[in-house]
Amino acid sequence: MQPSSDAAKRNAAYAAADHVKDGMVVGLGSGTTAAYAILALGERRKHQNLQIFGVPSSYQAFQLAVVNGIPITTLEEHPTVDVNIDGADQIEPQLNLIKGMGAALVREKIVAASATTNIFIADETKKVTALGEGNQPVPIEVVPFSIALVRHRIQKLGGVALLRETKGKLGPVISDNGNVIMDATFGEINDPTVLNHQLKMIPGVVETGLFIGLTDIVYLGTDTAVQKFEAKR
Ligand code: 5RP
């Protein structure tokens, strides 16, 4: 598989940013691909006087919005997001996703669930035939008190769950919500809807990185082009 390129991410992100119109409330996703969408929106604001409000899905997105001159709002002020643009870790043919390798999955899913239109953007290396392919883990946000229970229940479901460790300091990754992230590997996932429900029933699981039935549009970028996929729903 080709490594993901910045040009591919940028191509997908700029195609998605074209959906945004004056007056819209825009969900600002997290990760390196979503960062290009925030950059594109900032450029449109500067050069075309695009008037929008952003709802950031993470501290990273919040900081990028500020740097790129995008006014911030909250879901309290604007409960309906017109267009949400976010990245993905894996995308299968029905456009269900795995997200959360940037540990922002809880807020990302809340923003996506608040959105009228969800656009997910990625380079083509994220396209798979089944979620979980290549031992891609499902990130899960967990209340720290429940780490042992979640590990045990995931084992009973046939998976292996590891507590995500930080790279910049010793110890576990702490999410923007003060919880930990467990990466659960199941191999190829036959029924992501069922697995999502099973995981969500475990006490202490705040949210899973399985994004089922939320996608409207996917843009997959290559170095020179972008491909559009629309969900049948
Ligand atoms: C963060 C996410 C990201 O959108 C996902 O990990 C993709 O990131 P990148 O565009 O950097 O590959 O879900 O929680």
Side-chain angles (χ1 to χ4, degrees):
M1 189 196 286
Q2 295 288 315
S4 53
S5 83
D6 280 348
K9 294 177 188 186
R10 179 186 278 269
N11 284 336
Y14 276 68
D18 280 347
H19 285 258
V20 176
K21 306 276 178 273
D22 256 343
M24 282 187 168
V25 175
V26 184
L28 306 175
S30 306
T32 54
T33 317
Y36 279 119
I38 299 175
L39 185 73
L41 292 171
E43 285 173 5
R44 287 191 55 199
R45 185 172 156 73
K46 198 167 161 193
H47 301 301
Q48 300 167 10
N49 196 27
L50 179 72
Q51 299 293 321
I52 56 169
F53 284 104
V55 179
S57 61
S58 63
Y59 189 62
Q60 179 221 22
F62 169 77
Q63 282 181 309
L64 286 171
V66 171
V67 167
N68 287 284
I70 299 169
I72 299 296
T73 188
T74 62
L75 290 176
E76 280 76 17
E77 289 163 296
H78 292 100
T80 302
V81 170
D82 296 300
V83 179
N84 176 42
I85 304 175
D86 203 350
D89 297 301
Q90 283 195 335
I91 304 168
E92 49 88 289
Q94 276 73 49
L95 308 188
N96 295 317
L97 317 171
I98 290 179
K99 282 184 53 55
M101 291 312 285
L105 61 111
V106 169
R107 293 188 190 202
E108 288 175 329
K109 203 180 267 190
I110 292 169
V111 175
S114 306
T116 308
T117 302
N118 275 298
I119 307 177
F120 292 99
I121 52 177
D123 61 81
E124 61 177 352
T125 63
K126 306 291 184 68
K127 190 180 164 194
V128 292
T129 50
L131 296 180
E133 207 174 278
N135 269 336
Q136 164 68 44
V138 178
I140 301 168
E141 183 155 330
V142 174
V143 173
F145 189 69
S146 192
I147 291 170
L149 176 69
V150 172
R151 187 184 290 122
H152 184 63
R153 291 283 181 91
I154 285 176
Q155 213 170 4
K156 282 188 27 189
L157 290 173
V160 176
L162 297 177
L163 186 61
R164 194 182 297 178
E165 300 283 332
T166 56
K167 297 222 166 61
K169 83 178 221 318
L170 298 175
V173 168
I174 304 296
S175 75
D176 287 356
N177 314 301
N179 298 309
V180 296
I181 303 293
M182 297 185 80
D183 290 310
T185 309
F186 299 92
E188 285 188 20
I189 300 166
N190 291 332
D191 193 334
T193 306
V194 168
L195 181 62
N196 189 43
H197 284 133
Q198 288 171 323
L199 293 172
K200 288 207 66 161
M201 290 308 292
I202 304 171
V205 166
V206 178
E207 193 48 84
T208 85
L210 290 166
F211 280 49
I212 312 296
L214 285 166
T215 305
D216 295 292
I217 296 170
V218 165
Y219 283 110
L220 276 189
T222 66
D223 281 356
T224 53
V226 62
Q227 229 185 327
K228 183 180 186 183
F229 299 86
E230 286 181 80
K232 298 178 197 76
R233 69 175 174 116

